Amino acid sequence: MTSNAQQNINVWLTQINTDFKSAVSVDCVIFGYDDNALKVLVSDCDMPPFEHQCSLLGDLVHSDETTEQAASRVLLTKTGFENVFLEQVQVFSGINRHPLGRVITVAYYSLIKITDDHLTHIHTHKGLKWLEVNKISSLAFDHYEIMHSSLRKMQKEIREQPIGFHLLPQKFSLLQLQRLYEVVLNIELDKRNFRRKLKGLGILNDIGEIEELVSHRPARLYAFDQSVYDKKKKTGFSFDL
Amino acid sequence: MTSNAQQNINVWLTQINTDFKSAVSVDCVIFGYDDNALKVLVSDCDMPPFEHQCSLLGDLVHSDETTEQAASRVLLTKTGFENVFLEQVQVFSGINRHPLGRVITVAYYSLIKITDDHLTHIHTHKGLKWLEVNKISSLAFDHYEIMHSSLRKMQKEIREQPIGFHLLPQKFSLLQLQRLYEVVLNIELDKRNFRRKLKGLGILNDIGEIEELVSHRPARLYAFDQSVYDKKKKTGFSFDL
DNA sequence: CCAAAAGTGTTATATTTACACCCATGC
DNA sequence: GCATGGGTGTAAATATAACACTTTTGG
């Protein structure tokens, strides 16, 4: 090694360990679908000057974990969910985005089956609540911007990959699926065209069951078949709604 | 404010300022197109154990700049380029990705007109060089992975947005444009269909000039019209190759 | 028998693909 | 005159969009 190279390394070492450090956090935009509406899980914020607003769920990244692991940890510890769909959105690094000092944050979004599990009741007493996405007008910090960017990214990806199923129960009717896309994308879809298209993709299993407790003709129930999708994808097939 | 809230804030303050800090860097995947090949600008690496490899251009993020500003600064100071197309890719946060300590990095990719300016000669003596993307088999640190993820993202975005023009001179022939897409996407395109489609989009201006110094019938030259594209985009038009 | 959603086909239109020859220029 | 890329149109296949009625169930 040249002494010049050694010098460079010393500069780096100094910088890495002192001058140029920053706090790094993750913020999770947790989407859920319920009651024909797209919702985001938020918590009451107790940090001035945002005491009366809600914030996304997040935490600082620890030294022994990746940002993805940090996001998974936030999800697990604050909501009890494990192995949920999680996707990196982007970094937000505005210099004054956090009132307590410089915090660079990495945004993730995840898709949750609200109705599953216990989420709804268990966590309301921790200051957590589901807000309808299109009724949110502001959030603490730059979290509105983060939420909005995440929404945009999710809207794009839900058309290109079969991830919408994460928002539905395992068994669902075709109308439920259609309504999901209509609500998330804020569009209207033609019933017959939608059904033809989805059935044509060949990634739904008719599980031979029907709706129960409905006061009209019960619909057939389907389930998304991940393994068939994985196989098809390898052969150049692409989901595209 | 409750004392509980105050306590939380104190914990945060401590964590932000001490325990949970990390060095944050940016790494730039600078794509250029020349000689019918897609290239990436890299520099010789002098840091063990990567002394004989090349690395992407990057630097630590300063306390008074966003990651985007840091990426722009890297581009300007190391290559002399200003106002180039720059797009965030994603964060790479593997715990041991850097030999000198924990460094979380934000990857950006940019698209450069190689032939423009002086880049080719001016910067070769700084240890910079253009490598053909598909001849690269390894890079220092996790830079190969970063380059590869950036390439994938760029390949996707070049089909969805009119950004390929950043890789070409201001004036170009339709064949040049076609070859660009063929090389970048690693596909073959039909000449007539390609021309019909591109002309049909209405975002190219025939500038009334023709190629010079070619030993065959000279091609018409076109220029991308950003302002027409911006107008069309507002009315729901979408570029899609 | 009424309300509510389930389920089903056809036609028109737009988009995509495949494909082959003559033209203009420099040497 | 020949080599090189420039430039052009049509037909078939595929994908998308628009649209209305009958069926089944619970109450």
Side-chain angles (χ1 to χ4, degrees), chain A residues 1 4-5 8-9 12-13 15-17 19-25 46-48 51 58-69 88-95 98 100-104 106 108 153 156 160, chain B residues 1 4-5 8-9 12-13 15-17 19-25 46-48 51 58-69 88-95 98 100-104 106 108 153 156 160:
Chain A
M1 195 178 350
N4 188 30
N8 285 341
I9 289 170
W12 265 85
L13 261 175
Q15 292 184 343
I16 286 178
N17 291 312
D19 316 349
F20 292 95
K21 281 193 169 185
S22 162
V24 178
S25 68
D46 55 11
M47 190 179 297
E51 297 97 327
D59 195 14
L60 292 171
V61 176
H62 298 176
S63 62
D64 61 346
E65 64 184 2
T66 63
T67 54
E68 174 142 3
Q69 286 165 348
Q88 192 184 120
V89 180
Q90 62 166 114
V91 166
F92 291 84
S93 62
I95 293 156
H98 199 290
L100 298 184
R102 178 140 211 219
V103 182
I104 291 173
V106 188
Y108 284 82
K153 176 155 182 157
K156 186 159 187 285
E160 301 171 345
Chain B
M1 194 176 354
N4 188 30
N8 285 341
I9 289 170
W12 266 84
L13 261 175
Q15 293 184 342
I16 286 179
N17 291 311
D19 317 348
F20 291 95
K21 280 193 169 184
S22 161
V24 178
S25 67
D46 55 11
M47 190 179 297
E51 296 98 326
D59 195 15
L60 292 171
V61 176
H62 298 176
S63 61
D64 62 345
E65 64 185 2
T66 63
T67 54
E68 174 142 2
Q69 286 164 347
Q88 190 183 123
V89 180
Q90 63 166 113
V91 166
F92 292 82
S93 63
I95 293 158
H98 199 289
L100 297 185
R102 179 142 211 218
V103 182
I104 291 173
V106 188
Y108 284 81
K153 178 157 181 155
K156 187 159 188 286
E160 300 171 346

Side-chain angles (χ1 to χ4, degrees), chain B residues 84-127:
Chain B
V84 300
F85 178 83
L86 186 65
E87 176 87 4
Q88 190 183 123
V89 180
Q90 63 166 113
V91 166
F92 292 82
S93 63
I95 293 158
N96 296 310
R97 58 173 295 284
H98 199 289
L100 297 185
R102 179 142 211 218
V103 182
I104 291 173
T105 199
V106 188
Y108 284 81
Y109 80 83
S110 62
L111 302 177
I112 298 285
K113 301 183 207 305
I114 289 189
T115 49
D116 278 359
D117 304 69
H118 30 272
L119 235 194
T120 322
H121 16 78
I122 282 198
H123 293 289
T124 39
H125 53 77
K126 284 195 195 172

Side-chain angles (χ1 to χ4, degrees), chain A residues 13-187:
Chain A
L13 261 175
T14 309
Q15 292 184 343
I16 286 178
N17 291 312
T18 58
D19 316 349
F20 292 95
K21 281 193 169 185
S22 162
V24 178
S25 68
V26 290
D27 284 299
C28 297
V29 182
I30 303 169
F31 290 113
Y33 174 73
D34 190 29
D35 197 18
N36 267 8
L38 183 67
K39 305 187 174 178
V40 175
L41 191 63
V42 296
S43 107
D44 293 326
C45 183
D46 55 11
M47 190 179 297
F50 304 113
E51 297 97 327
H52 301 298
Q53 295 190 64
C54 292
S55 68
L56 299 171
L57 276 54
D59 195 14
L60 292 171
V61 176
H62 298 176
S63 62
D64 61 346
E65 64 184 2
T66 63
T67 54
E68 174 142 3
Q69 286 165 348
S72 294
R73 173 174 55 79
V74 166
L75 278 162
L76 179 60
T77 58
K78 300 203 177 181
T79 72
F81 271 115
E82 221 163 342
N83 298 321
V84 299
F85 178 84
L86 186 65
E87 175 88 4
Q88 192 184 120
V89 180
Q90 62 166 114
V91 166
F92 291 84
S93 62
I95 293 156
N96 297 308
R97 57 172 296 283
H98 199 290
L100 298 184
R102 178 140 211 219
V103 182
I104 291 173
T105 199
V106 188
Y108 284 82
Y109 81 83
S110 62
L111 302 178
I112 297 285
K113 302 185 206 303
I114 289 189
T115 48
D116 279 358
D117 303 67
H118 31 272
L119 235 194
T120 323
H121 15 77
I122 283 198
H123 293 288
T124 39
H125 53 77
K126 285 195 194 172
L128 297 189
K129 59 190 160 204
W130 289 102
L131 296 184
E132 266 195 49
V133 164
N134 53 31
K135 289 187 180 160
I136 298 175
S137 58
S138 83
L139 292 171
F141 312 101
D142 54 355
H143 287 190
Y144 184 82
E145 185 192 351
I146 292 176
M147 189 273 286
H148 196 254
S149 298
S150 302
L151 174 61
R152 282 291 154 81
K153 176 155 182 157
M154 185 272 277
Q155 287 174 324
K156 186 159 187 285
E157 295 184 338
I158 205 174
R159 305 189 74 137
E160 301 171 345
Q161 295 162 43
I163 57 176
F165 306 106
H166 292 289
L167 291 165
L168 287 180
Q170 216 110 43
K171 307 169 181 183
F172 50 84
S173 70
L174 291 176
L175 188 66
Q176 270 181 290
L177 187 59
Q178 182 182 338
R179 292 276 179 264
L180 170 69
Y181 282 108
E182 290 179 329
V183 165
V184 169
L185 298 173
N186 204 26
I187 56 175

Side-chain angles (χ1 to χ4, degrees), chain B residues 1-10:
Chain B
M1 194 176 354
T2 67
S3 73
N4 188 30
Q6 183 58 57
Q7 220 168 31
N8 285 341
I9 289 170
N10 288 338

